[in-house]
Amino acid sequence: MSRIRIVPIFVTALLMLALLIGGWQAYQHYNLLNPLKQSLQSVAGVEKVDITTGSPDVVVIQLGPFQTLKDGDLQMTYDAISDEIEHKLGTNVSVRIGDAHEGPLTQLFEGAFELYIQQGIAKEDYTQMASDVARLAKSNHVAYRLTMDNSFIYLQLQKGPYYLYRVIPYASRAGGATA
């Protein structure tokens, strides 16, 4: 009668599992994440890149001031970043933009700019939204740039050494009731 030894089979299985997991981690690190970090850091305006793998993957991009962005435009810079990420990691990725918004800009954004933008989205009155944002920026002596595409509204604010970037998705336009 042949006897199957459980312990050597179990140890071998654990070693193979560890080898496979280690190989996958090395592949991700050297063939996916490092090249992605390098290509993202070559985009104009990108100062720092942090990538966290998971479900979904999270890419945190620290951007520099307006003048360092691609043509000084958040939308163009974000599009270049998104293209690189989609090419390397696919579409199930969360992108977060970092900035130097300490000081008055966060309060100003949350207190007024965000209200005008959300109101413009809700009413689908983007020309009024743009004029409200321009008026508010001028009255607060804030340099700004507001652009839009089919998916997002891009807002750049700068006052002195502080700058704030927001990429705001349009609200879902699907019909139906929500709870």
Side-chain angles (χ1 to χ4, degrees):
M1 282 182 32
S2 77
R3 292 183 14 186
I4 299 175
R5 293 200 238 168
I6 302 274
V7 174
I9 292 173
F10 183 69
V11 169
T12 303
L14 280 177
L15 287 173
M16 290 304 294
L17 181 62
L19 184 63
L20 288 172
I21 290 172
W24 174 248
Q25 292 294 327
Y27 170 77
Q28 264 195 323
H29 184 72
Y30 292 109
N31 290 339
L32 291 176
L33 301 182
N34 277 350
L36 177 60
K37 274 186 180 183
Q38 290 173 352
S39 64
L40 287 175
Q41 287 175 332
S42 69
V43 173
V46 173
E47 292 184 341
K48 184 179 174 190
V49 178
D50 288 319
I51 302 172
T52 306
T53 57
S55 185
D57 296 330
V58 177
V59 179
V60 180
I61 307 285
Q62 178 69 34
L63 295 177
F66 281 22
Q67 58 273 21
T68 64
L69 300 180
K70 187 173 186 175
D71 293 334
D73 185 39
L74 176 60
Q75 182 177 352
M76 292 179 72
T77 303
Y78 189 83
D79 287 344
I81 289 168
S82 295
D83 290 345
E84 286 292 328
I85 291 171
E86 189 172 320
H87 178 70
K88 300 275 189 197
L89 294 180
T91 57
N92 189 26
V93 179
S94 175
V95 179
R96 297 187 185 145
I97 301 294
D99 49 32
H101 63 269
E102 298 84 15
L105 290 179
T106 300
Q107 291 175 345
L108 191 58
F109 173 76
E110 291 173 353
F113 282 102
E114 187 173 33
L115 174 69
Y116 288 134
I117 291 171
Q118 293 302 329
Q119 184 178 20
I121 292 170
K123 292 182 176 181
E124 294 186 6
D125 189 356
Y126 303 109
T127 55
Q128 182 63 45
M129 175 190 70
S131 66
D132 289 342
V133 167
R135 183 178 39 79
L136 184 61
K138 184 177 180 181
S139 69
N140 286 283
H141 308 289
V142 174
Y144 84 100
R145 182 178 235 171
L146 179 72
T147 58
M148 295 178 262
D149 63 15
N150 292 333
S151 303
F152 300 105
I153 297 171
Y154 305 87
L155 178 67
Q156 301 170 232
L157 302 175
Q158 185 169 4
K159 187 169 188 172
Y162 304 108
Y163 50 94
L164 178 138
Y165 301 121
R166 291 294 183 267
V167 179
I168 304 161
Y170 292 104
S172 173
R173 295 187 182 163
T178 59

